[in-house]
Amino acid sequence: MREHIDAEDQRDAEVEEDVVREDDKDEDVEAQGEEEQEEDGEDQSRRKRARVNTEGDSRPTGSSPKVEKRKQTLPRDVDGFIPGSIVRIQLENFLTYDWVEFRPGPYLNMVFGPNGTGKSSIACAICLGLNFPPALLARAPDVNSYVKNDKQSGYIEIELKGASGKENLVIRRSIQRNSKSAPFTLNGKSASGREINARMAELNVQVSNLCTFLPQDRVAEFARMTPQQLLRETQRAAGNENLTSWHDTLISAGKELRQVQELVNNDREQLKTMEDRNANLERDVRRYEERRALEKKIELLEFIVPIKEYYEAREKYRIMKPKQREAIRNLQRLQKRHKPYIDLDKALEQEVKEREKQRESRKAAAKRKFAAMSEKWEENEKLESQAEDIKNRLDNLKKSERDRLASIKRLEKSIAEGEERLANPPETEDLDDLNRQLRELQHQHVIDQQQVTDLQERQKANVAKGSEIKYQIDQITRNLQQLDSQSHQKLEALKRSDSDCGAVVEWLRRNQNRFRMEVFEPAVLCVTVPNRGYIDAVESCFGLTQLKTFVAQCEEDYQLLNRLCVDTPEAIGRKARINTWFKVRDENRLAPPPVPREELKALGFDGYAIDFIECPEGLKWFLCSDVRLHRTAIAANPRMVDPNRAMDMAARANGANYIIGRVYNQVTRSRYGRRLPQNTTREIQQARMLAAATVDPQIKRDLLDQLNNARESLRAVEDEEKELTKLDGEIRATHRAYKEAYDNIMDRKKAVVDAQRKMQAIQLKLDEYRKKLERLQNAKPVDVERNNLKQSLLTLAHRRVEIVREYVAHMRSAIKEQEKATRAGLEFIQACANKSALEALCKEQKEEIQQVEATALKIHAEFKALKEDSKRKLEITKTKYEEVEEDVRESFHEMEAAGTIQAKSSEEWEAELQQRREELDMNMNTNANVVDQYNKRKAEIETLTATIEEREKRILRIEQNIKTARENWQPELEKLVTSIGQKFSAAFDRIGCAGEIRIREDEDYEKWAIDIMVKFRDHEKLQLLTGERQSGGERSLTTILYLMSLTEEARAPFSLVDEINQGMDQRAERAVHNSLVEVTCRPESGQYFLITPKLLPDLNYHERMKILCVNNGEWLPEEKGLGNMMGLIDNVLRARQANRANSAS
């Protein structure tokens, strides 16, 4: 056991010496800075461990590495404590303690004592007293659980060293057994947990970091920490204080960069699709624009032509107007000169008209008289015809009388025969009895018919039920077939992930006949990989968009597919968001494979991706042109391929892709400088799209159960059908018997009814004969009829005489009217002769007047026509002016101002208009929707391009931020890990083992890690430290050596490890102890707590370390302060000094 000394008396002197040494050290560091940089390469070579093989094994070199002097980073006060160090701890009713108070030293504090005395309780008190969560201790989850068993309350009081020139922080936390709340006081004043946390952050206290605070129950967790967690905890505990913030910046910026790059890649794919679609529409758009230009030109010409025609018509009207005025004046002058002749000619012409009127009036009167004569003549003819009829009837009276008498005799005979038949009717059955039998039979038939109806209803229900069950069986069978169908499984998975794409696939399967050539479904449905060993690699060659792209084989089908599905809702009832592709097939423009297949096999590759798929032949153009499967080499076994040769192959091909094992390599050449090849790698994921979805066994079992139940139900329906068929036969036999009985009764009834009808018919005929006989017997006598006819004949003769007299009167009146008409005709002829004589006498004057008048009329007609034409064209021009657009008017005014309109005639403008119309007819009409789609997509392309540019700028900013952060972070991290690694390797060398600290880099900064590699036996290789591979003692040894190596770089004011030496052998424990004392007792080291239940003999100690012995038990004095070992030591020393003084005197 080490002999104790008066630490308090020695502390001030030690601190002064430390300050002096630190000042000297600072000067030495500054003076040697440049020399160390020059010698860095030599130092690194000296610090490297000797390798005995290429597998990473190492052995002690026999020389300890040079320990680089570390600049003081933690400000130390005159008392030796740095801010945040623990100056004092006082506990009451806490776990095993009733009350305790101890003061640790500023350097190594070794806490030891028997098991169960309360050593680990100190670690618990530090954690809980500084407001860190109980979960860090891996013990009880609640603070009130730490109150001593037989007590109701207690407290933890910790005094931390304050900043230079400021008072210490005294933090007290009171705990109650019956309350989960544990309030704080700070320097005697109430404080919140948030305030305590803020003060801990200011002092950089890191109790939650396993690298600085390792309780007993969490020692094993250190080895179980992932390398990524170890890196983050190491950064928090040591090195540059900005390491964690730089690392967080890199992680967040890296995630953001990947997200933005993914967005940019997706946007670029979408942009390429949109540009391809617009490129296919450019020809139609140009044709449309040319047509619109022609239409505008035609619209202008259609506006110019009527205006030009109006101008020309107006000019002709202005020229004709004076000519018309002159012709009228000439005619008026001539008419004035020949006025006597004209007046006489007009008088004679008036007389001719009057005579002609009188003549026509007389002729009409004569015609009326002749018409009256014709009427009387026709009336007389009718009366004569009636007289002839009466004479004929007189001649027929004798014959009618003989026929009447004969009819009377015949009727009397028929009446006698009928009366005899009525008196002797035939014998018949009783009709009422027959009707009664018929009603009884029909009543029974109604009952039977109801049974038939019921049977039919049951048969219908049975048939319907059977049909429904058969339909269910068919449906279930189809569902089972679909579950086993890989294509259906893929389609269902596609519909779940992209409803638009799935709906268009189903529509396309029903409407392939609408396309000229086959339109291929997305590759996810029509591409299969027979060898499932390559399915992950093949799918990794596709982008998600490419897997869902519809491929057309001609532009016509491409346009039709886009119009029906994308641009309009005609296909699926809504506009679908799908990807379509078409490119004119040109094998010459397709980049060839990087190397021939024979050379590819020699490199160790299995083939190109296109070799491992099955798909329609027409789809391969898309897979080669867009997906480039023919240029992507695949090697399933990574050991068969030399990565360097594969890289060289891709670089020689000016860039290519290849897959080795589960790593996808994308080789490109830089666009700058020497155009060096660049390789981007990523791990391929498990195939999800090309692999068929797995069938849920429960769904299949449910369908099979439904199928069996349906078949059982169908058998029951068939059995019932047999029973109903048997019952139907019985009912049919009953119906046949009813039919026979019914027919028999009806035949007998018909015989009775027929007999009754015959007797009724005889009675009806007899009545009719009697009426006829009575009518013939009561007919008028022949003499009376004869006298009546003679009287009618005499009346007609008198009427004919009157008509003859009226006819003679009309004839005489007609002769008189005819004479008057003849006289009027002669007078008309005389007037015409007089006019002709005048015309013959003045023929020259008349011809001159007619000639001048005809000329004047012609000129006037032309003038009027020109005037009307000018007005009409003016109205047309006005209407056209109102109809045309403003730009057409402006174009016209510009042309008119330039004199272009006047330079051509209307015929020339019309010819040009016809020429433009012919050009328009030759220009095929393009749907305006195509142009709208083009312009809309063009705007979307511009927007998307701007978005891509903005995101690329954002990527550059992020990359710059990453570069800046990495340039700050990585050197500091490497410096820290190198420093820790040197100390770690040296510590392992001293115990005859090997250990290294490595940084594992990754594209994802979140996956950067620190690997602790250890080897405890000569025949082993360096192995990664894990929670399972090494033994407990090996893990403990590695842990303490790593924490010890970290101590010199630590930024935390204090560190703690609890019983880390458990499981170590004596040699390792001694070496670790001695190394720990050496490291933690250096002047620049921080406060360190080592809790251990035992100590080996003959260990190394240092004057800066402090040993705290825990002596806890039932026989301790009740008075506080008694039993303090430091007090006992002080008393012993004072007694010795007193004895020496007495002896000297």
Side-chain angles (χ1 to χ4, degrees):
M1 180 66 66
R2 174 181 179 277
E3 186 174 345
H4 293 282
I5 63 173
D6 189 355
E8 294 294 331
D9 295 339
Q10 305 261 343
R11 186 176 297 131
D12 294 339
E14 291 173 358
V15 170
E16 290 176 0
E17 292 175 3
D18 291 343
V19 172
V20 173
R21 284 197 295 270
E22 289 300 326
D23 294 339
D24 296 338
K25 192 182 301 179
D26 293 344
E27 294 175 1
D28 294 338
V29 170
E30 292 176 358
Q32 295 177 4
E34 296 179 358
E35 295 177 5
E36 288 177 358
Q37 292 179 0
E38 294 174 357
E39 296 173 0
D40 183 72
E42 297 177 2
D43 293 341
Q44 291 292 339
S45 64
R46 286 196 296 269
R47 285 194 293 268
K48 288 184 179 178
R49 298 174 52 77
R51 305 290 179 186
V52 297
N53 56 42
T54 59
E55 297 297 328
D57 291 350
S58 61
R59 65 186 176 196
T61 61
S63 61
S64 61
K66 177 181 177 181
V67 178
E68 182 181 356
K69 292 185 178 180
R70 178 170 170 268
K71 186 175 180 180
Q72 181 84 20
T73 58
L74 299 174
R76 192 178 300 278
D77 205 349
V78 293
D79 59 0
F81 287 92
I82 61 176
S85 297
I86 298 175
V87 177
R88 180 177 59 86
I89 299 177
Q90 185 181 109
L91 307 175
E92 183 177 285
N93 298 332
F94 185 83
L95 292 176
T96 59
Y97 295 104
D98 291 325
W99 184 92
V100 68
E101 181 180 85
F102 57 91
R103 295 177 179 270
Y107 296 97
L108 174 61
N109 293 274
M110 183 176 293
V111 182
F112 74 95
N115 289 329
T117 56
K119 302 184 300 301
S120 297
S121 299
I122 297 174
C124 296
I126 294 174
C127 177
L128 301 179
L130 299 181
N131 196 30
F132 285 90
L136 297 177
L137 302 172
R139 289 192 175 188
D142 299 322
V143 178
N144 57 359
S145 301
Y146 290 84
V147 178
K148 193 173 182 182
N149 288 335
D150 57 344
K151 306 297 181 180
Q152 294 300 315
S153 64
Y155 65 83
I156 306 167
E157 185 174 283
I158 300 176
E159 182 178 351
L160 299 181
K161 178 65 180 176
S164 180
K166 296 183 180 180
E167 64 177 345
N168 292 348
L169 278 68
V170 179
I171 301 171
R172 172 177 283 208
R173 188 175 196 182
S174 300
I175 52 179
Q176 303 288 331
R177 177 173 297 279
N178 298 325
S179 175
K180 291 187 178 181
S181 64
F184 288 91
T185 62
L186 180 61
N187 293 335
K189 297 180 181 180
S190 177
S192 65
R194 185 172 298 176
E195 293 179 39
I196 302 301
N197 291 338
R199 290 301 186 96
M200 295 304 102
E202 291 175 4
L203 296 173
N204 198 28
V205 175
Q206 298 183 23
V207 174
S208 59
N209 189 344
L210 288 180
C211 292
T212 58
F213 192 88
L214 190 61
Q216 176 183 356
D217 297 314
R218 299 190 68 192
V219 171
E221 289 187 25
F222 184 89
R224 294 194 189 97
M225 277 199 305
T226 64
Q228 291 79 15
Q229 291 174 333
L230 180 61
L231 172 63
R232 294 192 65 82
E233 299 298 337
T234 301
Q235 289 180 150
R236 289 178 56 203
N240 192 303
E241 60 184 5
N242 295 316
L243 279 173
T244 299
S245 61
W246 287 333
H247 193 191
D248 291 338
T249 299
L250 288 172
I251 292 172
S252 60
K255 289 181 179 178
E256 184 181 5
L257 179 62
R258 289 192 295 274
Q259 293 172 356
V260 177
Q261 285 176 337
E262 184 177 357
L263 290 174
V264 169
N265 292 335
N266 293 337
D267 289 343
R268 282 174 177 164
E269 290 183 4
Q270 184 179 359
L271 179 63
K272 182 177 181 298
T273 301
M274 295 169 68
E275 287 176 343
D276 291 344
R277 292 176 63 184
N278 257 22
N280 293 325
L281 295 178
E282 280 183 0
R283 184 176 58 187
D284 293 339
V285 172
R286 287 196 300 270
R287 190 161 54 233
Y288 177 81
E289 291 174 349
E290 292 172 358
R291 184 176 181 86
R292 286 294 299 153
L294 280 174
E295 290 175 348
K296 281 289 184 183
K297 184 66 175 177
I298 290 172
E299 186 178 4
L300 179 60
L301 291 173
E302 289 176 344
F303 182 55
I304 292 174
V305 168
I307 292 180
K308 187 63 179 177
E309 289 178 348
Y310 164 68
Y311 286 169
E312 293 178 353
R314 184 182 63 183
E315 186 64 25
K316 290 179 181 179
Y317 166 73
R318 290 175 178 174
I319 294 173
M320 182 59 68
K321 187 174 183 180
K323 292 182 179 179
Q324 186 259 356
R325 297 288 188 268
E326 183 63 25
I328 294 297
R329 286 195 292 271
N330 290 337
L331 179 59
Q332 290 175 350
R333 284 195 298 269
L334 186 61
Q335 288 176 345
K336 185 176 181 181
R337 188 171 63 246
H338 297 292
K339 188 174 184 302
Y341 159 73
I342 293 174
D343 292 342
L344 180 59
D345 184 68
K346 288 183 178 179
L348 288 175
E349 185 175 359
Q350 183 64 30
E351 184 181 359
V352 168
K353 289 180 179 178
E354 290 177 356
R355 295 300 180 186
E356 185 179 12
K357 184 178 180 181
Q358 290 177 1
R359 185 189 67 173
E360 293 299 327
S361 177
R362 296 300 179 185
K363 286 172 66 178
K367 286 181 179 180
R368 285 195 295 273
K369 295 297 181 182
F370 284 118
M373 290 173 60
S374 297
E375 290 177 0
K376 294 298 178 183
W377 182 266
E378 290 176 357
E379 185 178 359
N380 183 59
E381 289 294 326
K382 290 180 181 179
L383 292 175
E384 184 178 3
S385 176
Q386 292 178 3
E388 287 296 328
D389 290 340
I390 292 172
K391 289 180 181 179
N392 292 333
R393 290 174 63 187
L394 286 172
D395 293 339
N396 292 332
L397 281 177
K398 293 181 180 180
K399 183 180 178 181
S400 298
E401 182 64 18
R402 288 196 297 271
D403 293 339
R404 185 178 71 84
L405 295 174
S407 297
I408 290 172
K409 290 182 180 180
R410 187 173 61 257
L411 289 172
E412 289 177 346
K413 182 178 179 181
S414 297
I415 290 171
E417 291 176 353
E419 290 175 346
E420 184 179 358
R421 293 182 65 181
L422 287 175
N424 301 300
E427 295 183 359
T428 58
E429 293 185 74
D430 186 2
L431 187 60
D432 294 336
D433 183 57
L434 291 175
N435 288 332
R436 180 184 57 77
Q437 296 178 18
L438 187 61
R439 283 194 299 272
E440 292 176 354
L441 186 62
Q442 288 177 339
H443 177 71
Q444 183 62 37
H445 178 64
V446 168
I447 296 174
D448 296 339
Q449 197 65 29
Q450 183 62 41
Q451 293 180 352
V452 172
T453 303
D454 294 341
L455 178 62
Q456 290 176 346
E457 291 296 328
R458 291 175 61 187
Q459 288 176 330
K460 288 180 181 179
N462 193 58
V463 170
K465 185 176 180 181
S467 300
E468 182 180 358
I469 294 173
K470 289 178 181 178
Y471 175 78
Q472 291 177 356
I473 292 174
D474 294 340
Q475 190 68 27
I476 295 170
T477 304
R478 282 195 297 271
N479 291 339
L480 286 170
Q481 292 173 351
Q482 289 178 349
L483 283 179
D484 296 331
S485 169
Q486 187 178 23
S487 174
H488 178 76
Q489 294 170 19
K490 287 185 178 181
L491 178 57
E492 290 299 318
L494 179 62
K495 287 164 64 178
R496 288 192 297 270
S497 63
D498 191 334
S499 58
D500 284 357
C501 189
V504 173
V505 169
E506 292 180 332
W507 176 87
L508 183 62
R509 291 179 178 179
R510 298 191 302 269
N511 296 272
Q512 274 284 3
N513 59 320
R514 300 181 66 172
F515 298 93
R516 188 166 67 87
M517 301 177 71
E518 182 181 3
V519 175
F520 296 112
E521 298 175 0
V524 67
L525 297 178
C526 56
V527 171
T528 57
V529 183
N531 189 340
R532 296 187 64 84
Y534 296 98
I535 192 168
D536 295 346
V538 171
E539 183 168 312
S540 68
C541 300
F542 287 84
L544 182 60
T545 302
Q546 293 170 329
L547 281 170
K548 298 181 181 180
T549 297
F550 292 82
V551 178
Q553 300 188 77
C554 63
E555 184 176 1
E556 178 184 346
D557 291 345
Y558 175 77
Q559 299 289 354
L560 179 60
L561 179 64
N562 283 318
R563 180 175 63 81
L564 296 178
C565 300
V566 180
D567 301 325
T568 66
E570 182 176 344
I572 63 173
R574 63 179 185 275
K575 293 183 180 180
R577 294 181 60 124
I578 60 171
N579 300 293
T580 58
W581 185 90
F582 165 71
K583 184 184 289 185
V584 178
R585 187 166 190 142
D586 186 357
E587 302 286 351
N588 296 327
R589 297 178 61 183
L590 190 65
V595 295
R597 282 176 169 76
E598 295 76 11
E599 185 177 345
L600 189 71
K601 295 284 187 181
L603 291 173
F605 286 96
D606 302 329
Y608 290 108
I610 196 71
D611 302 330
F612 302 109
I613 67 168
E614 291 181 358
C615 67
E617 190 63 30
L619 187 64
K620 289 185 177 180
W621 169 241
F622 165 72
L623 299 178
C624 294
S625 177
D626 196 72
V627 189
R628 298 185 177 275
L629 294 186
H630 70 302
R631 288 178 58 82
T632 304
I634 298 177
N637 187 351
R639 292 194 294 266
M640 300 296 294
V641 181
D642 182 356
N644 295 326
R645 295 181 63 194
M647 177 74 176
D648 182 63
M649 176 268 293
R652 283 189 286 107
N654 202 25
N657 304 330
Y658 58 88
I659 299 172
I660 301 177
R662 300 196 65 80
V663 178
Y664 186 96
N665 297 264
Q666 183 178 6
V667 179
T668 58
R669 283 194 175 273
S670 172
R671 293 179 293 179
Y672 309 101
R674 299 170 58 189
R675 296 180 55 80
L676 296 175
Q678 300 174 340
N679 187 10
T680 303
T681 62
R682 60 180 170 87
E683 184 177 358
I684 64 175
Q685 303 299 321
Q686 185 176 359
R688 295 185 300 108
M689 304 294 285
L690 293 181
T694 57
V695 178
D696 188 348
Q698 184 59 41
I699 296 177
K700 191 168 184 179
R701 285 194 296 270
D702 292 343
L703 289 175
L704 291 173
D705 291 342
Q706 294 175 13
L707 182 62
N708 293 330
N709 293 336
R711 286 173 175 169
E712 287 293 331
S713 301
L714 184 62
R715 281 193 289 271
V717 168
E718 291 173 349
D719 294 340
E720 185 177 0
E721 183 181 359
K722 293 178 181 178
E723 295 178 1
L724 294 176
T725 302
K726 181 179 178 181
L727 184 59
D728 183 65
E730 297 174 356
I731 293 177
R732 288 181 182 276
T734 304
H735 180 71
R736 285 194 295 272
Y738 158 77
K739 184 65 176 175
E740 292 174 358
Y742 178 81
D743 291 342
N744 180 273
I745 294 174
M746 290 303 295
D747 290 342
R748 290 157 58 193
K749 182 177 178 181
K750 182 180 179 183
V752 173
V753 172
D754 288 344
Q756 291 179 350
R757 287 177 178 173
K758 287 181 180 179
M759 298 306 295
Q760 291 175 355
I762 292 173
Q763 182 64 46
L764 291 174
K765 287 183 179 180
L766 189 60
D767 294 340
E768 184 180 356
Y769 291 160
R770 286 171 178 166
K771 290 179 181 179
K772 287 182 179 180
L773 179 60
E774 183 179 2
R775 188 169 59 254
L776 290 174
Q777 289 175 348
N778 296 329
K780 294 181 180 180
V782 177
D783 294 338
V784 175
E785 182 66 19
R786 186 181 295 111
N787 292 334
N788 290 337
L789 291 174
K790 287 181 179 180
Q791 184 62 38
S792 299
L793 187 61
L794 181 61
T795 301
L796 288 174
H798 289 308
R799 176 59 186 156
R800 290 181 66 191
V801 170
E802 291 178 358
I803 289 172
V804 170
R805 290 174 181 170
E806 291 174 357
Y807 179 81
V808 172
H810 284 306
M811 182 179 64
R812 289 174 180 171
S813 178
I815 291 172
K816 291 179 181 179
E817 291 295 332
Q818 185 64 34
E819 288 176 352
K820 292 178 181 179
T822 302
R823 188 179 297 109
L826 292 174
E827 291 174 351
F828 170 73
I829 293 171
Q830 183 60 49
C832 290
N834 293 338
K835 188 173 185 303
S836 298
L838 179 62
E839 291 176 351
L841 182 63
C842 304
K843 181 178 180 182
E844 292 181 1
Q845 292 86 344
K846 184 177 181 181
E847 289 177 354
E848 183 180 5
I849 292 172
Q850 289 178 345
Q851 184 177 2
V852 173
E853 185 177 11
T855 302
L857 290 174
K858 180 179 179 183
I859 292 174
H860 180 69
E862 291 180 1
F863 170 75
K864 188 174 181 181
L866 288 174
K867 184 177 181 180
E868 293 297 328
D869 185 52
S870 179
K871 287 182 179 180
R872 180 177 57 80
K873 290 180 178 178
L874 177 61
E875 292 298 326
I876 293 173
T877 301
K878 289 180 179 180
T879 304
K880 197 70 176 177
Y881 189 83
E882 295 295 331
E883 292 176 352
V884 297
E885 302 291 338
E886 185 63 29
D887 57 342
V888 177
R889 298 178 194 170
E890 293 176 357
S891 300
F892 172 78
H893 292 317
E894 291 174 0
M895 295 176 68
E896 189 175 32
T900 308
I901 303 297
Q902 294 77 9
K904 294 182 182 180
S905 64
S906 61
E907 289 79 8
E908 291 174 329
W909 286 114
E910 181 67 30
E912 184 175 353
L913 175 60
Q914 293 300 326
Q915 181 182 354
R916 298 299 183 189
R917 285 174 175 168
E918 291 174 0
E919 291 177 2
L920 184 64
D921 292 338
M922 294 175 65
N923 189 322
M924 292 186 296
N925 191 12
T926 302
N927 190 351
N929 290 334
V930 173
V931 180
D932 293 340
Q933 294 169 16
Y934 178 85
N935 293 330
K936 180 180 178 182
R937 195 174 291 119
K938 184 177 180 182
E940 292 175 352
I941 289 172
E942 293 173 354
T943 302
L944 188 57
T945 302
T947 302
I948 292 174
E949 292 175 354
E950 184 62 30
R951 286 176 174 164
E952 287 177 342
K953 293 178 182 177
R954 185 179 172 191
I955 288 174
L956 292 176
R957 289 195 299 269
I958 297 172
E959 288 176 342
Q960 183 60 39
N961 293 338
I962 291 175
K963 180 181 178 184
T964 303
R966 182 165 181 171
E967 288 175 352
N968 292 326
W969 175 68
Q970 188 170 358
E972 291 293 333
L973 178 63
E974 291 174 348
K975 179 181 177 182
L976 172 64
V977 174
T978 300
S979 176
I980 297 172
Q982 292 171 358
K983 299 175 179 62
F984 186 76
S985 298
F988 264 83
D989 281 345
R990 287 193 291 271
I991 63 174
C993 300
E996 285 187 0
I997 306 297
R998 301 174 182 173
I999 297 177
R1000 188 202 309 166
E1001 299 184 6
D1002 195 275
E1003 290 183 359
D1004 186 355
Y1005 290 100
E1006 195 171 12
K1007 295 180 181 179
W1008 277 55
I1010 288 180
D1011 289 337
I1012 300 178
M1013 311 297 294
V1014 293
K1015 185 182 80 164
F1016 294 95
R1017 283 161 283 277
D1018 291 338
H1019 63 277
E1020 291 180 346
K1021 300 177 183 178
L1022 285 172
Q1023 295 178 334
L1024 182 67
L1025 176 68
T1026 65
E1028 296 80 19
R1029 181 175 296 165
Q1030 288 80 16
S1031 65
E1034 292 171 345
R1035 291 197 300 270
S1036 298
L1037 177 61
T1038 304
T1039 300
I1040 189 60
L1041 291 180
Y1042 183 83
L1043 297 179
M1044 184 180 67
S1045 303
L1046 189 65
T1047 300
E1048 292 187 45
E1049 303 291 338
R1051 295 194 312 274
F1054 65 85
S1055 302
L1056 180 145
V1057 292
D1058 187 1
E1059 297 193 15
I1060 194 65
N1061 54 345
Q1062 294 298 312
M1064 295 185 192
D1065 58 25
Q1066 291 189 7
R1067 180 180 63 86
E1069 186 176 352
R1070 185 180 303 278
V1072 168
H1073 175 87
N1074 294 337
S1075 297
L1076 183 63
V1077 170
E1078 178 186 354
V1079 170
T1080 58
C1081 291
R1082 291 174 182 170
E1084 68 271 15
S1085 297
Q1087 190 178 42
Y1088 206 95
F1089 291 88
L1090 175 63
I1091 300 175
T1092 177
K1094 61 184 178 66
L1095 290 174
L1096 297 175
D1098 301 325
L1099 296 175
N1100 293 338
Y1101 294 93
H1102 196 281
E1103 59 185 4
R1104 291 193 181 93
M1105 67 185 291
K1106 189 169 186 177
I1107 298 176
L1108 302 174
C1109 298
V1110 180
N1111 185 18
N1112 196 1
E1114 298 180 0
W1115 303 104
L1116 292 177
E1118 295 295 333
E1119 184 179 350
K1120 296 179 180 179
L1122 293 179
N1124 187 299
M1125 182 172 290
M1126 293 305 297
L1128 294 175
I1129 294 174
D1130 291 341
N1131 292 334
V1132 170
L1133 291 176
R1134 280 193 294 269
R1136 285 182 180 179
Q1137 290 176 358
N1139 291 333
R1140 289 173 185 170
N1142 293 331
S1143 299
S1145 61

